[in-house]
């Protein structure tokens, strides 16, 4: 996500460096590249033009601070204007003492509306609210059944009846009041494109059910067309906010940057993938940082903390003890990969500054992760517990089972040795120190193919131990125990 615009902006800012004093000429030259980067990312033309005009006016009107590279001031101005373009955002969901709050979701077919309704319900459930889902999409075959299945998965009641969308919504609100649910989420019908029948149905629900807030669910992958869709719905319904879905796909940033600029409607939440998990708050400052290649380290910390909450204290303590003692096996390594998969490999890489540039163009990091998992799964229990047992014939057998070449298995085992040393060093660090270290290594090229081979880690002599030396080391460890 955002790799294209991040790289293009990086190139634009490089051209501004070392220009000395800011002048109208070099500011225009630099911002011309920024504008091109925006248009390539499918940002709305008028939004991009207005944005560049604001940054130019701000840059030319500023006094250049002593000891500050003028290009840094333009970068700062671009960042501040990006934050202003996408914000501010109020993430609060209203509460009512005398009745359930009604949230209406609308959007085109295929935008992920039904899945988003379930994700929103799960998010509210996590905030100690008691949500109910209303299956008001009677157009798409299977929509009601899909919502019922998702409701069962997350433990949220789903109201449905075979009447008409308005009655479903009205009766769902009445049912929520009877069962003491404090919020009702209306999953309304969509169409393949905006038409009068769709808008008339949504207007009737809006008029007769009177939802407290109306959210448009929009697919991030449709680029600036998302702004046109948002404008059409906003003209008909007066939207309160948008929920941007599929941000883990090939979204180029055009939707995120165009919607607010065209409609004035803020993006409130963002969704990743088909899996039913909580929606993330859309925070303009963090999104601007990611677009400009500065990452979102706080987002990474929050993701790791949420995964750790799902593990028991005993599991965490045992894992830390193994890492500190250097007894980290390939089985433990495999479990770490499962944790990374839960967080979303692509999403994690896009949040860490400099990391997306380290991935070779056209290579899918998730496929690389699966390839390594295949190698570990092709090993015996003894081999996973003690990788030193793996000699040339075993490497060939593992490579055959994993569908890779023997030299790839050899390279992976070398990297595992280095990772084990690295993790022992990181065991005593805070979460923030670990992330800074990993990001620094990414910028040094440690995660490029064979990159770890060129890095000297503390405790790594660069000498590959012989089988005899490894056997003696194991004996010493056993004696210590």
């Amino acid at each position: 996500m955002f790799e294209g615009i991040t790289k293009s902006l990086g190139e634009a800012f490089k051209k501004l460096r070392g220009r000395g004093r800011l002048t109208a000429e070099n500011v225009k030259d630099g911002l011309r590249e920024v504008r091109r980067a925006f248009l390539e990312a499918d940002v709305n033309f008028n939004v991009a033009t207005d944005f560049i005009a604001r940054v130019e006016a701000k840059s030319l009107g500023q006094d250049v601070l002593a000891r500050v590279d003028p290009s840094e001031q333009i970068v700062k101005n671009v960042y501040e204007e990006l934050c202003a373009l996408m914000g501010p955002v109020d993430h609060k969901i209203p509460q009512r003492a005398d009745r359930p709050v009604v949230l209406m979701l609308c959007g085109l077919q295929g935008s992920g509306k039904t899945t988003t309704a379930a994700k929103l319900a799960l998010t509210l459930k996590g905030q100690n609210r008691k949500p109910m889902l209303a299956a008001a999409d009677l157009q798409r075959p299977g929509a009601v059944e899909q919502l019922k299945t998702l409701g069962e998965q997350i433990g949220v009641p789903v109201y449905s009846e075979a009447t008409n969308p308005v009655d479903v919504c009205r009766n769902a609100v009445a049912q929520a009041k009877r069962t003491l649910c404090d919020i009702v989420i209306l999953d309304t019908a969509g169409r393949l494109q905006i038409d009068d029948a769709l808008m008339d149905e949504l207007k009737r629900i809006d008029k007769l059910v009177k939802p407290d807030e109306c959210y448009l669910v929009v697919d991030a992958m449709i680029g600036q067309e998302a702004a046109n869709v948002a404008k059409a719905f906003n003209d008909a319904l007066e939207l309160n906010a948008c929920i941007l879905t599929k941000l883990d796909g090939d979204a180029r940033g055009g939707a995120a940057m165009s919607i607010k600029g065209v409609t004035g409607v803020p993006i409130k939440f963002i969704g990743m993938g088909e899996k039913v998990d909580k929606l993330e708050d859309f925070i303009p400052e963090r999104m601007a940082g990611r677009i400009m290649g500065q990452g979102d380290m706080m987002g990474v910390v929050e993701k790791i903390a949420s995964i750790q909450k799902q593990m028991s204290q005993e599991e965490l303590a045992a894992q830390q003890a193994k890492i500190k003692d250097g007894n980290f096996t390939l089985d433990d390594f495999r479990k770490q990969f499962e944790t990374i998969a839960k967080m979303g490999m692509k999403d994690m890489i896009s949040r860490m500054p400099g990391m997306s540039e380290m991935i070779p163009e056209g290579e899918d990091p998730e496929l690389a992760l699966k390839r390594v998992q295949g190698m570990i799964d092709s090993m015996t229990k003894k081999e996973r517990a003690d990788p030193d047992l793996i000699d040339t014939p075993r490497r060939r057998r593992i490579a055959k089972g994993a569908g890779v070449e023997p030299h790839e298995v050899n390279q992976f085992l070398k990297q595992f040795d280095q990772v084990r040393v690295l993790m022992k060093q990181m065991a005593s660090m805070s979460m923030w120190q670990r992330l800074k270290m990993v990001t620094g290594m990414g910028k040094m090229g440690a995660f490029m193919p064979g990159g770890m081979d060129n890095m000297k880690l503390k405790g790594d002599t660069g000498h590959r131990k012989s089988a005899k030396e490894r056997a003696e080391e194991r004996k010493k460890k056993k004696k210590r125990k």
Side-chain angles (χ1 to χ4, degrees), residues 16-46:
L16 280 167
R17 289 198 186 108
R19 289 285 189 98
R21 194 168 175 277
L22 282 181
T23 65
E25 284 296 313
N26 57 34
V27 166
K28 276 184 179 176
D29 286 346
L31 290 180
R32 192 180 295 120
E33 296 296 323
V34 173
R35 184 171 178 271
R36 184 179 290 128
F38 275 27
L39 294 176
E40 283 174 358
D42 208 17
V43 176
N44 178 274
F45 178 82
N46 293 329

Side-chain angles (χ1 to χ4, degrees), residues 311-373:
M311 298 171 71
S312 66
Q313 287 301 313
E314 291 79 13
E315 280 180 305
L316 279 171
Q319 191 184 80
Q320 285 298 313
K322 273 189 167 189
I323 291 168
K324 276 185 183 176
D325 296 340
N327 296 328
F328 194 70
T329 67
L330 283 163
D331 275 322
D332 300 315
F333 198 53
R334 177 77 167 76
K335 284 176 188 170
Q336 293 285 326
F337 276 175
E338 286 170 14
T339 305
I340 291 169
K342 279 182 192 173
M343 292 188 282
M345 184 72 163
K346 283 182 183 175
D347 184 46
M348 289 292 285
I349 286 170
S350 73
R351 288 175 189 269
M352 296 177 79
M355 291 292 282
S356 58
E357 294 167 25
M358 297 301 116
I359 305 299
E361 203 169 327
E363 184 163 321
D364 187 344
E366 289 179 0
L367 285 177
L369 198 72
K370 283 178 184 173
R371 196 162 59 237
V372 172
Q373 286 175 330

Side-chain angles (χ1 to χ4, degrees), residues 31-262:
L31 290 180
R32 192 180 295 120
E33 296 296 323
V34 173
R35 184 171 178 271
R36 184 179 290 128
F38 275 27
L39 294 176
E40 283 174 358
D42 208 17
V43 176
N44 178 274
F45 178 82
N46 293 329
V47 170
T49 303
D50 293 346
F51 179 90
I52 296 301
R54 287 198 301 275
V55 174
E56 187 177 342
K58 197 171 182 181
S59 300
L60 292 174
Q62 273 183 335
D63 292 326
V64 178
L65 300 172
R67 296 181 186 175
V68 175
D69 188 327
S71 69
E72 294 301 321
Q73 283 187 261
I74 292 188
V75 172
K76 178 176 173 286
N77 293 342
V78 169
Y79 173 77
E80 286 173 355
E81 286 299 326
L82 268 177
C83 294
L85 177 66
M86 297 186 287
V89 181
D90 180 9
H91 296 107
K92 289 176 188 169
I93 301 286
Q95 280 186 302
R96 300 283 181 267
D98 57 335
R99 62 174 179 81
V101 170
V102 181
L103 302 179
M104 176 177 166
L105 298 191
C106 58
L108 297 178
Q109 263 186 23
S111 60
K113 200 161 47 313
T114 302
T115 305
T116 301
K119 288 184 177 188
L120 181 58
L122 185 64
T123 304
L124 293 167
K125 197 179 172 187
Q127 296 171 5
N128 298 318
R129 303 289 290 266
K130 195 179 174 187
M132 173 182 276
L133 290 160
D137 183 356
L138 305 180
Q139 292 284 333
R140 180 168 65 88
V144 175
E145 288 306 313
Q146 183 190 352
L147 196 64
K148 283 181 180 176
T149 304
L150 293 171
E152 279 177 29
Q153 280 179 24
I154 61 174
V156 170
V158 177
Y159 183 84
S160 67
E161 59 178 66
T163 53
N164 62 73
V166 176
D167 285 346
V168 170
C169 295
R170 272 198 296 215
N171 294 338
V173 174
Q175 177 71 4
K177 201 169 185 178
R178 284 194 296 272
T179 55
L180 302 179
C181 289
D182 64 354
I183 195 156
V184 181
I185 300 165
L186 310 178
D187 177 30
T188 63
R191 298 286 191 282
L192 291 173
Q193 58 187 17
I194 296 163
D195 61 25
D196 293 337
L198 168 65
M199 289 306 179
D200 289 343
E201 184 181 296
L202 295 174
K203 282 176 186 174
R204 280 200 305 276
I205 295 171
D206 189 39
K207 185 180 177 182
L208 299 169
V209 183
K210 295 182 174 63
D212 294 271
E213 293 202 341
C214 183
Y215 300 154
L216 174 70
V217 180
V218 63
D219 183 349
M221 293 173 72
I222 65 173
Q224 65 171 300
E225 183 58 28
N228 300 330
V229 170
K231 189 175 187 307
F233 276 91
N234 189 46
D235 291 344
L237 297 169
E238 289 189 23
L239 300 171
N240 295 89
C242 292
I243 301 176
L244 210 53
T245 64
K246 305 180 189 177
L247 262 176
D248 55 332
D250 296 326
R252 290 181 289 170
M257 294 165 66
S258 300
I259 289 174
K260 176 87 188 304
V262 171

Side-chain angles (χ1 to χ4, degrees), residues 433-444:
Q433 286 171 323
R434 289 179 199 178
L435 288 168
K436 277 180 76 178
M437 186 175 179
V438 170
T439 303
M441 287 174 68
K443 286 180 177 176
M444 288 164 67

